[in-house]
Amino acid sequence: MRDALERVKAAAQRLKVFPLPSAVLLPGGIMPLHIFEPRYKAMLKDAMDTDGVFAMAQVVPGQEDHLAGKPELDPMLCVGVVSVHEHLEDGRSNMVLTGVCRARIVTEHSQSKAYREVVAEVLPDAPYEGEEEAALRSAIFELMARVPNEVGQRIAQVTTGARGGALADIIVGSLVSDPERRFEVLSQLDVPARLSAVTSDLIELASRIKP
């Protein structure tokens, strides 16, 4: 992951962005994508020819109908690296983007390519250990006790080794499908606050599942 973060930092001055309102990537998570639009086929080709880095972006509410053009972007991004790439015969691609870290748009470059590029501030989490992480782990264990064994094993697998804000990101990336809630968590830069918010989500979820 350290190598991936260095690649992201190196790409930040001219970062490729892919606006997709229905898809919110979180650091440590994965996003399967099917690339078929000409501009994003060009973006992916350029990424694969260089550093394999681009960011998933959200559009400002009310701009969803302008995706074919140049909708206004929310400043908060998740930057990822291409971890799987399957090139199809007709120029389309199946791929997986693995989230590396948050970033914030500083300014957008004048468009010289089919896709959009920005200058971004990279925002990796600082290491954190505190009572909020312990509370989240307690909520995770409670949830694992209430779900089927195979689901609990999957939760244990994806959270093993995760620390600090990454623990909250992985839980939300694995269990939450709602794009708005995922983006709220992505936008929360304060690690203790993020941990506490996700703990509340898990407690509420566990309360709706019979032991």
Side-chain angles (χ1 to χ4, degrees), residues 22-26 29-31 102 171-187:
S22 61
V24 179
L25 179 65
L26 286 156
I30 61 171
M31 181 66 66
R102 291 165 173 80
I171 284 292
V172 172
S174 301
L175 299 180
V176 177
S177 59
D178 178 58
E180 289 187 10
R181 183 55 181 153
R182 290 169 68 98
F183 191 66
E184 288 173 358
V185 172
L186 178 68
S187 300

Side-chain angles (χ1 to χ4, degrees), residues 96-139:
V96 174
L97 189 69
T98 297
V100 175
C101 70
R102 291 165 173 80
R104 181 190 290 118
I105 295 173
V106 176
T107 188
E108 184 165 355
H109 288 285
S110 299
Q111 194 160 350
S112 60
K113 300 179 181 178
Y115 53 88
R116 300 167 72 175
E117 297 174 296
V118 301
V119 177
E121 176 189 8
V122 179
L123 301 167
D125 284 340
Y128 179 81
E129 292 183 9
E131 61 183 15
E132 295 86 359
E133 180 178 333
L136 179 53
R137 290 197 182 279
S138 178

